[in-house]
């Protein structure tokens, strides 16, 4: 007598091959998706999500090409300066960190921590450094 086997996703009784685990492609896909969601968040996803958040925040606050914003404002929105894609050093040796096309430089001003925000410019290509 054959052992009854059930679909790993919907628990319906399976028909067919002995090694079959799912009743159809929908159940297979849904089970894989559910399993993936139950896994701890992968490091790649954490980094990617933080880069996206940082870019969105920098884009929102840099409407003029070059602006200064209090650090506490950006941090309160979830900005994390440890996540960036590359950096650029100007002639004064200031190192701007970039999240794609949006750059920032932490600088104290009047006793407060602030960020100078800039946009990537073509002339910066000559002096770019990647975050490796």
């Amino acid at each position: 007598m054959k052992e009854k086997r059930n679909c790993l996703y919907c628990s319906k009784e399976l028909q067919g091959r002995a090694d079959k685990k799912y009743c159809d492609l929908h159940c297979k896909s849904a089970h894989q998706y559910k399993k993936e969601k139950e896994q701890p968040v992968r490091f790649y996803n954490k980094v990617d999500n933080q880069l996206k958040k940082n870019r969105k925040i920098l884009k929102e606050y840099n409407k003029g090409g070059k602006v200064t914003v209090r650090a506490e404002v950006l941090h309160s929105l979830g900005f994390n300066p440890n996540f960036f894609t590359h950096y650029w050093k100007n002639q004064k040796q200031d190192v701007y960190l970039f999240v794609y096309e949006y750059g920032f430089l932490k600088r104290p001003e009047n006793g407060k921590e602030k960020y100078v925000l800039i946009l990537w410019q073509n002339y910066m290509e000559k002096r770019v450094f990647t975050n490796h």
Side-chain angles (χ1 to χ4, degrees):
M1 187 164 157
K2 285 185 181 178
E3 184 181 321
K4 273 178 49 173
R5 295 169 294 108
N6 296 331
C7 174
L8 293 177
Y9 183 70
C10 72
S11 300
K12 283 185 193 173
E13 187 176 345
L14 294 173
Q15 305 293 321
R17 294 186 352 229
D19 62 345
K20 193 171 182 180
K21 296 178 183 180
Y22 307 97
C23 53
D24 58 27
L25 287 175
H26 170 74
C27 282
K28 181 178 180 181
S29 178
H31 184 256
Q32 296 298 330
Y33 179 75
K34 181 181 172 196
K35 229 169 70 172
E36 188 66 30
K37 277 186 68 173
E38 292 168 355
Q39 296 291 323
V41 178
R42 292 181 291 192
F43 183 70
Y44 168 83
N45 291 344
K46 284 183 180 181
V47 171
D48 191 48
N49 289 339
Q50 187 61 56
L51 285 171
K52 287 176 183 174
K53 181 182 273 188
N54 282 357
R55 183 183 181 278
K56 181 180 177 184
I57 293 166
L58 292 172
K59 181 180 180 182
E60 178 66 29
Y61 278 85
N62 191 354
K63 301 274 189 209
K66 183 176 183 182
V67 296
T68 303
V69 181
R70 288 192 325 265
E72 65 192 44
V73 171
L74 299 184
H75 293 159
S76 72
L77 297 169
F79 180 77
N80 185 335
N82 296 320
F83 290 81
F84 57 94
T85 55
H86 59 289
Y87 62 94
W88 173 75
K89 190 185 292 186
N90 67 11
Q91 291 176 343
K92 297 179 198 172
Q93 303 303 305
D94 294 326
V95 177
Y96 285 85
L97 304 178
F98 276 81
V99 181
Y100 304 105
E101 72 272 36
Y102 296 98
F104 60 97
L105 170 69
K106 193 170 190 176
R107 174 171 280 155
E109 190 178 293
N110 300 325
K112 300 253 185 207
E113 286 294 324
K114 298 190 177 184
Y115 285 110
V116 177
L117 308 183
I118 63 172
L119 285 173
W120 181 260
Q121 304 294 318
N122 287 335
Y123 70 85
M124 297 174 176
E125 293 279 336
K126 296 174 188 160
R127 301 185 69 164
V128 68
F129 304 92
T130 57
N131 185 15
H132 297 302

